[in-house]
Amino acid sequence: MTNVTIIGAQWGDEGKGKVVDWLASRADIVVRFQGGHNAGHTLVVGNQTYKLSLLPSGLVRGKLGVIGNGVVIDPFALLAEIERVSAQGLAVTPETLRIADNAPLILPLHAALDAAREAARGARKIGTTGRGIGPAYEDKVARRAIRVCDLAEPETLDAKLDELLLHHNTLLAGLGAPTFKKEDVLASLLELAPKLLPFAEPVWERLAEAKRLGQRILFEGAQAVMLDVDHGTYPFVTSSNTVASTAGSGSGMGPDAAGRVLGIAKAYCTRVGSGPFPTELNDETGQLLGERGHEFGTVTGRKRRCGWFDAALVRQAVKVGGVQGLALTKLDVLDGFAELKIGVGYSINGKTYKHLPAGMAAQAAAEPIYEVMEGWSSSTRGARSWADLPAAAIKYVKRIEELVEAPVTLLSTSPERDDTILMQDPFAG
C-alpha cells in the first residue's frame, strides 16, 4: 500500500472534501500540509454537514488529523472551529489532532494588513479572502513569524513581537489603517497558549514512525494547482505551493511522502475571486451551472464564476502537479445540456497555445478554443457504476482523459459520499 495525496486540478472548490472523506475511511492519518483557513471542505456525513477550514477532514471519520508545518494557523479561527464542530458532536482532542510545533501563526494584524492592501489596490485587487494568509507567509519567509512553539516561551514571544509590530504597524500606518498595541497582542497570545499547546508536537516524528509501521497517510491539499504561488495564474494565486511535491516539505517528511497523487476536477470549471478564466460563461448557461452546482464558497460564501471544462488548463495542472489519476466531480450538474463544450487550447493575439502562458497580459487576452460534444438527457445523479451512465456521458469522460493525459480513476455523481464510481484504488499504488 502507498500514501495518497489529494490536490485540486483547477482553481479550487472542486469537491475535494467529499473525495478526502471517502478515502479517509481507508487511511490511518490525514495530514494538512499547506494553506490556511482560506480554504474550506464541506463534508456530508449522514444528516450532519461539517464545514472545515483548518481541521483535517479525516477527523469526521475518527482518523488522526495532523496540521503540518506548511500550514499557516490562525489560532483564534482554529479554536473557534474546534468549538463549532464539537457542538455538532465531533470530538477534537489532543488524542485526535496534532499540530506541528514549528507551524507559523496568523494574527489579527495579518488580516488587517491583508484587508488594507486589498482596499488600496482598488480595481486591481487580487481577490484574497482577507484572512491574513499572504502576510503570514511573508513573515515566515522574512524570518519574523510567531510560531506555535513560541507560545511556550513568553520571553521569546515578547522579543519577537517587537520586530513583528515594527514591520506591520509601519505598513498599516502608511495605508491609513489602525495599528496594534504590543500589550494587547501579547496578552491575547498568552491567553490562548494553554488552549493550543496541548495539541503541539514535532509531527515529523509521528509521521516518520507511521511510515516505519507502514500506515496509510492521506495528504489533504487546499486550494488547487492553478492557485499555486509558482505555477498558478500569478499574481491571482494563493501564497503557498499547492502541488503534491509540497506534501513532504509541508509535513516534515521526505520527497517520497506524496505517494500516489489524485487530482480533483469538476466536470465543468469554477473560480472564486479575481484573475483570468478563459472558459468563463457570463450568460444563462454560466448562471445555470452555478445554480445547479450550488456554487458558493465554503469559507467565504462568495459566488463562484462558472464555465466549461478547460482541458488545456487541467492538463497543465496534471503535469506540474504530478497528478497520476483524476477524480472528476459533479458530473450530474451537466445532465440535460443538449451540447457541451471543452476548452482544448487558447488563441492569444492570433497565436494558438496548448497551455496558458505565464504572462499576465497573455492570460488576460486568452480566448478559448472549444471542442463541442453531444450532451445527454437522462440523469447521472447517484450513478455508482459505468452501466448507470448514458453513453454520451461516458464519451465525455473518456474525451477528458485523452485531453488531460491522465486517467479518470474516480467519478463522483452527487454530493453523497457513496455516489462514486471507482476505477482504481489510489491506496493500491
Side-chain angles (χ1 to χ4, degrees):
M1 306 305 288
T2 185
N3 295 343
V4 173
T5 298
I6 292 177
I7 60 174
Q10 293 161 321
W11 281 294
D13 307 306
E14 300 96 347
K16 292 187 292 296
K18 172 188 169 175
V19 179
V20 170
D21 177 45
W22 194 81
L23 289 173
S25 61
R26 306 188 56 246
D28 298 299
I29 301 174
V30 180
V31 182
R32 275 286 309 274
F33 60 91
Q34 52 77 219
H37 65 307
N38 55 341
H41 291 164
T42 300
L43 293 86
V44 180
V45 183
N47 61 354
Q48 195 74 263
T49 298
Y50 298 99
K51 293 183 181 292
L52 306 181
S53 294
L54 275 169
L55 293 174
S57 297
L59 287 170
V60 303
R61 295 292 168 189
K63 305 297 180 176
L64 176 66
V66 170
I67 299 177
N69 57 276
V71 178
V72 284
I73 301 170
D74 182 325
F76 306 98
L78 176 60
L79 293 172
E81 187 175 333
I82 290 173
E83 183 177 350
R84 186 178 70 250
V85 299
S86 296
Q88 292 182 269
L90 184 64
V92 182
T93 69
E95 285 68 49
T96 61
L97 174 68
R98 305 308 294 164
I99 300 173
D101 56 5
N102 56 340
L105 297 180
I106 302 173
L107 304 181
L109 53 85
H110 291 121
L113 180 59
D114 203 353
R117 290 199 301 208
E118 277 287 83
R121 289 184 180 110
R124 297 191 176 188
K125 64 181 180 180
I126 294 173
T128 77
T129 58
R131 300 189 171 217
I133 311 297
Y137 273 116
E138 290 172 38
D139 282 347
K140 174 183 177 179
V141 174
R143 295 167 293 187
R144 57 174 169 260
I146 304 294
R147 304 195 295 176
V148 173
C149 54
D150 296 329
L151 298 177
E153 301 178 359
E155 291 184 3
T156 300
L157 197 58
D158 186 282
K160 291 183 79 169
L161 278 175
D162 287 328
E163 182 180 358
L164 191 67
L165 289 171
L166 173 64
H167 175 80
H168 282 274
N169 278 341
T170 301
L171 290 175
L172 287 167
L175 291 166
T179 58
F180 287 77
K181 294 182 180 179
K182 178 183 176 180
E183 55 267 29
D184 294 339
V185 178
L186 181 59
S188 65
L189 290 175
L190 291 176
E191 182 180 353
L192 69 82
K195 301 175 184 177
L196 195 64
L197 285 173
F199 295 95
E201 69 175 17
V203 298
W204 61 267
E205 280 198 318
R206 182 179 294 270
L207 295 175
E209 178 64 8
K211 180 180 179 181
R212 187 185 70 81
L213 295 173
Q215 293 184 328
R216 298 171 179 171
I217 302 174
L218 179 63
F219 290 97
E220 177 184 7
Q223 291 95 28
V225 173
M226 298 316 294
L227 291 177
D228 185 282
V229 71
D230 285 313
H231 303 289
T233 47
Y234 191 93
F236 302 99
V237 294
T238 193
S239 297
S240 61
N241 286 111
T242 61
V243 293
S245 51
T246 313
S249 60
S251 64
M253 298 188 73
D256 61 342
R260 184 163 184 82
V261 181
L262 189 64
I264 318 297
K266 281 177 183 165
Y268 50 103
C269 198
T270 65
R271 178 167 197 167
V272 170
S274 305
F277 186 172
T279 63
E280 183 174 11
L281 296 170
N282 295 304
D283 57 14
E284 292 181 359
T285 301
Q287 184 175 341
L288 183 59
L289 287 172
E291 291 171 356
R292 285 187 175 185
H294 306 290
E295 297 298 351
F296 296 90
T298 297
V299 170
T300 64
R302 289 187 294 178
K303 185 178 180 180
R304 296 170 185 152
R305 301 153 62 190
C306 299
W308 295 120
F309 187 88
D310 189 337
L313 189 87
V314 175
R315 176 184 175 275
Q316 197 164 330
V318 163
K319 302 303 181 185
V320 302
V323 172
Q324 296 158 298
L326 207 63
L328 201 63
T329 66
K330 293 195 170 185
L331 183 68
D332 55 302
V333 173
L334 299 180
D335 291 350
F337 282 96
E339 68 173 29
L340 304 170
K341 293 182 180 181
I342 299 177
V344 296
Y346 313 100
S347 175
I348 304 174
N349 300 322
K351 185 177 178 181
T352 299
Y353 290 80
K354 292 183 67 175
H355 70 283
L356 192 61
M360 282 182 65
Q363 290 181 356
E367 295 290 337
I369 298 172
Y370 285 123
E371 183 174 301
V372 180
M373 297 196 68
E374 180 187 358
W376 53 90
S377 56
S378 54
S379 174
T380 63
R381 187 175 179 86
R384 297 186 181 183
S385 72
W386 281 106
D388 296 333
L389 296 177
I394 295 174
K395 186 176 180 181
Y396 180 76
V397 173
K398 292 297 183 182
R399 184 56 180 150
I400 284 175
E401 287 184 320
E402 294 170 354
L403 291 169
V404 305
E405 299 178 17
V408 173
T409 57
L410 186 150
L411 194 62
S412 172
T413 56
S414 93
E416 296 300 321
R417 179 175 181 266
D418 294 326
D419 289 343
T420 304
I421 302 172
L422 179 67
M423 281 72 83
Q424 184 178 358
D425 180 359
F427 277 114

